[in-house]
Amino acid sequence: MLRKAFIFALCCCLAGGVSACAEHHASAVVSSAVSGDSLFQLKTPLTNQQGQKFELGSAPAKLTVVTMFYGDCNVSCPIVLENIKRTLAAVPNAHAASVHALMISLNPGVDTPKSLAGLAKVHEFDVKNATLAVSDNDAQTRKLAAALGVKYRRGANGEINHNTRFVLLDQQGRIVASSDTLSVEPDPVLMKAIHAQLANK
């Protein structure tokens, strides 16, 4: 079923370019190893808080924790961002460079690289292991959300109702664990999966 979803997404997605040669090389290496269930096959272009364009898998870490949020959210999203911060902090120092967090906005057109940079500063995210990003439009965002298991809808007041979802990807872009728990503290199940994956490296 997941494979069918990826095939559908691949037919719909627009391929985005990777600007840096090193990132292009890394993407090519990973593409040759990904399976049919790899999220890296979703070539949805994203822009990070530094204004740089990239794609999922263009420069993959050994492990990537992915979640979705939006900048104007004052209810669950601050909790989500704090959870990511504490999850990264809970990774042993020896493996800190092996785990990256990717936080994707649900609100393209409103969230911008500049506003995401402001959020990154407020939450004290280090660009070395944490990326806040936004896609070009809502259609692209919905494809990513569907692949990650995030459901959302926009309210008339501009608020976005969405579920909480943390997804752990391996270096090939395959989902190895996930959590739907909304808490500032890291989910023990997700942390156990992170430690298990790091132990196998």
Side-chain angles (χ1 to χ4, degrees):
M1 190 171 181
L2 181 59
R3 188 181 297 274
K4 290 182 179 179
F6 278 114
I7 292 174
F8 175 78
L10 283 169
C11 292
C12 297
C13 279
L14 295 173
V18 178
S19 58
C21 292
E23 290 183 345
H24 178 78
H25 175 70
S27 178
V29 171
V30 172
S31 295
S32 66
V34 298
S35 70
D37 291 333
S38 172
L39 263 67
F40 291 167
Q41 295 191 59
L42 298 176
K43 299 297 183 180
T44 305
L46 295 165
T47 305
N48 66 18
Q49 70 264 39
Q50 296 177 302
Q52 300 167 332
K53 292 280 188 179
F54 70 102
E55 296 175 357
L56 286 176
S58 60
K62 291 182 178 179
L63 292 172
T64 305
V65 182
V66 187
T67 192
M68 301 191 79
F69 76 105
Y70 70 103
D72 291 336
C73 174
N74 295 313
V75 184
S76 62
C77 295
I79 298 174
V80 167
L81 297 180
E82 181 63 20
N83 178 289
I84 289 292
K85 182 179 177 180
R86 296 189 186 192
T87 297
L88 291 174
V91 176
N93 290 335
H95 297 288
S98 298
V99 182
H100 195 92
L102 174 60
M103 295 152 277
I104 303 172
S105 170
L106 292 165
N107 210 10
V110 176
D111 286 334
T112 64
K114 183 177 180 179
S115 68
L116 294 179
L119 277 175
K121 184 177 181 178
V122 167
H123 290 275
E124 300 179 327
F125 284 120
D126 189 336
V127 68
K128 294 179 180 178
N129 66 350
T131 299
L132 282 74
V134 63
S135 68
D136 292 341
N137 54 56
D138 190 59
Q140 294 172 349
T141 301
R142 289 194 178 279
K143 291 167 189 172
L144 284 169
L148 292 167
V150 175
K151 298 179 181 179
Y152 71 98
R153 62 183 179 83
R154 298 179 182 276
N157 59 358
E159 291 185 357
I160 301 176
N161 296 316
H162 62 95
N163 63 309
T164 299
R165 183 84 166 157
F166 301 96
V167 175
L168 180 65
L169 305 180
D170 66 12
Q171 197 166 15
Q172 285 72 46
R174 297 171 299 206
I175 297 175
V176 295
S178 63
S179 170
D180 300 319
T181 301
L182 178 60
S183 171
V184 295
E185 297 298 334
D187 188 323
V189 173
L190 202 65
M191 289 307 306
K192 182 177 180 180
I194 289 174
H195 289 304
Q197 290 290 314
L198 291 174
N200 291 331
K201 301 302 180 183

